[in-house]
Amino acid sequence: MKLCNIFTGLSIILLFGIVGCGSDDASGSKGGSGEFKEIASIDVEGHLAPHNFFISDDGEILNYGEQDESLSEPDRMKVWVDGETEELDMETFDHFSYLHPEGNIYSTINDQNNETTPYTLVKYDPRTGESEEFLKTVEAEDFFHVGPGYVSEEEGLIPVRSDGYDELNFYLWDYQNDEIEMYELTEELYELFGEIERTHEPKLALSRDAKSLYISYTEGISHYNTETGELNEVFIGEDMDANSVKVTLDNQYAVTRKYTGSEDIIGLANFYITDRDSFEQKEIGEGTEVFPIADGKIVMQKVNELTFYDIESEETSPFYTIELGEEEDLKKVVVSGDGNTIAYGYEKEGEEEDKTTIKIIRR
């Protein structure tokens, strides 16, 4: 009788052990190392502006734009700060304003009537409600941009394309001291690319430590070391997308994409990383968007599937699957720099009108 009770007890223990293992596996496949849970649901007025959707490194700040009409400029700019939503002043924070990873929103104000200082840089901290303004008096005629990858908050620098069509010169503007460091690269860039059709439309990306400046044209992508003055090829040719260079959080790699031309999935591309010291390039996977995160990791999105790439081990694993209903259309996804928060917007078809919602999930 005792022997029978012992076997019964062991069977129950084994059963619970199997159930427990299954639960851990489900959590792992759902959210990498740790299960994601919803922390906020935000109703969007109108449509979500797909080009104005950014999250801070710590996942506590989300900046997004709302459109009354699809495929238009945002009619409202908003910022969510760990539970509270604020509507921003559109005269200062329009669709050319951006939330940067550190959590500050950068914008530029152009006063065309002021020839001496036409540009003012505004830096706004939505956590405190405080803002700072910086006048740009040096090279005042040059247009500068504060988009994703343009501001090194660590060094207080913004890359700028010097005005003029014939000379390909660039500089880093120290916005706190209103000083610049010029890089005259006309000969070097022509020697690298051969021919540049639209010289006035380069795309720039700056590493957080401001040592790597990526200068891209449709003819290719280059890397300029702001400390040594060396200019190197990242990729030459029109196959790689010159508009979407991203830099990993450790500053070591540039992430680029080459579109596959898929008819089934819009924007499907192969992703590559290039080491800024050796300029060795590796293909890391396929997807529609990519998010460099901490510790040498990269999250790749392929529609609603997020996968995890480890640069050191070169291994890919599931990260998270966004589950939506049949009438729900995924519009945009962002992943925080620490990898612990995901925000995504989706639109649901309704009988009278469509409804757009943002979900924020965290582990």
Side-chain angles (χ1 to χ4, degrees):
M1 186 70 177
K2 289 182 180 179
L3 187 61
C4 181
N5 289 338
I6 291 172
F7 279 121
T8 303
L10 287 173
S11 299
I12 294 173
I13 291 171
L14 287 172
L15 178 61
F16 278 109
I18 292 171
V19 171
C21 290
S23 175
D24 288 343
D25 288 345
S27 174
S29 64
K30 184 78 173 176
S33 56
E35 186 175 1
F36 286 85
K37 296 181 179 179
E38 182 180 317
I39 63 167
S41 179
I42 304 171
D43 291 332
V44 176
E45 185 179 346
H47 305 275
L48 183 66
H51 301 297
N52 298 93
F53 196 58
F54 304 99
I55 195 168
S56 60
D57 276 344
D58 59 11
E60 294 184 357
I61 305 173
L62 182 75
N63 179 211
Y64 62 97
E66 295 179 336
Q67 302 169 327
D68 291 334
E69 299 292 335
S70 184
L71 303 177
S72 66
E73 294 181 357
D75 294 281
R76 291 164 298 281
M77 295 293 291
K78 294 186 176 180
V79 58
W80 175 91
V81 184
D82 209 18
E84 300 294 330
T85 302
E86 174 191 358
E87 185 169 345
L88 300 172
D89 178 10
M90 283 292 289
E91 290 187 5
T92 303
F93 303 101
D94 58 10
H95 62 290
F96 288 119
S97 65
Y98 300 90
L99 171 70
H100 282 262
E102 295 82 356
N104 293 309
I105 297 176
Y106 285 79
S107 183
T108 56
I109 299 175
N110 182 11
D111 183 1
Q112 297 181 350
N113 296 321
N114 189 335
E115 296 181 359
T116 306
T117 57
Y119 288 108
T120 300
L121 173 70
V122 180
K123 177 182 176 183
Y124 175 65
D125 186 345
R127 293 159 293 202
T128 63
E130 298 178 353
S131 62
E132 295 180 84
E133 293 187 358
F134 306 91
L135 295 178
K136 187 177 185 296
T137 65
V138 289
E139 302 293 332
E141 70 278 7
D142 293 342
F143 172 78
F144 71 102
H145 190 47
V146 293
Y150 270 70
V151 178
S152 168
E153 188 159 278
E154 179 181 322
E155 300 296 329
L157 298 170
I158 299 174
V160 183
R161 158 78 163 97
S162 182
D163 189 33
Y165 286 81
D166 298 327
E167 296 184 353
L168 308 181
N169 297 328
F170 303 84
Y171 58 86
L172 293 182
W173 177 48
D174 178 344
Y175 57 83
Q176 293 175 329
N177 299 305
D178 195 23
E179 298 174 349
I180 65 171
E181 183 174 355
M182 183 71 72
Y183 310 118
E184 299 179 354
L185 301 177
T186 304
E187 293 184 8
E188 290 88 341
L189 284 170
Y190 274 116
E191 188 175 317
L192 191 65
F193 293 127
E195 181 180 349
I196 303 174
E197 183 178 353
R198 303 180 70 84
T199 58
H200 61 292
E201 292 184 354
K203 302 299 180 182
L204 306 179
L206 185 66
S207 60
R208 295 190 181 199
D209 62 7
K211 295 179 181 178
S212 294
L213 175 62
Y214 295 90
I215 306 169
S216 306
Y217 295 94
T218 56
E219 290 81 5
I221 302 169
S222 62
H223 170 273
Y224 180 73
N225 188 313
T226 61
E227 288 191 329
T228 66
E230 295 180 2
L231 184 71
N232 293 92
E233 166 192 334
V234 174
F235 183 85
I236 301 297
E238 298 182 1
D239 293 335
M240 202 74 72
D241 178 24
N243 297 320
S244 59
V245 177
K246 293 187 176 181
V247 185
T248 55
L249 274 63
D250 61 2
N251 304 299
Q252 192 61 35
Y253 297 90
V255 186
T256 54
R257 72 175 75 198
K258 182 189 295 184
Y259 290 109
T260 65
S262 170
E263 296 181 357
D264 298 324
I265 301 177
I266 298 174
L268 187 65
N270 293 320
F271 294 111
Y272 302 80
I273 56 172
T274 303
D275 187 285
R276 72 171 177 181
D277 294 327
S278 66
F279 296 99
E280 178 184 359
Q281 189 174 88
K282 297 178 183 177
E283 184 175 348
I284 64 171
E286 185 182 59
T288 50
E289 191 51 87
V290 64
F291 310 97
I293 61 174
D295 301 322
K297 309 294 192 300
I298 295 173
V299 173
M300 293 179 288
Q301 174 195 356
K302 187 176 182 180
V303 192
N304 67 324
E305 297 284 345
L306 301 178
T307 56
F308 184 79
Y309 178 80
D310 187 313
I311 295 177
E312 184 176 352
S313 67
E314 301 184 2
E315 294 181 351
T316 302
S317 58
F319 185 70
Y320 189 80
T321 300
I322 299 172
E323 298 177 356
L324 298 174
E326 292 183 0
E327 296 181 345
E328 295 172 343
D329 183 20
L330 185 63
K331 294 299 182 181
K332 192 69 177 179
V333 178
V334 286
V335 180
S336 63
D338 61 12
N340 292 325
T341 306
I342 301 170
Y344 61 92
Y346 65 93
E347 197 169 274
K348 182 176 182 179
E349 293 183 5
E351 294 182 0
E352 296 182 0
E353 61 179 1
D354 297 342
K355 180 182 178 182
T356 304
T357 305
I358 296 172
K359 295 287 187 182
I360 303 176
I361 58 177
R362 185 177 293 164
R363 60 180 176 184

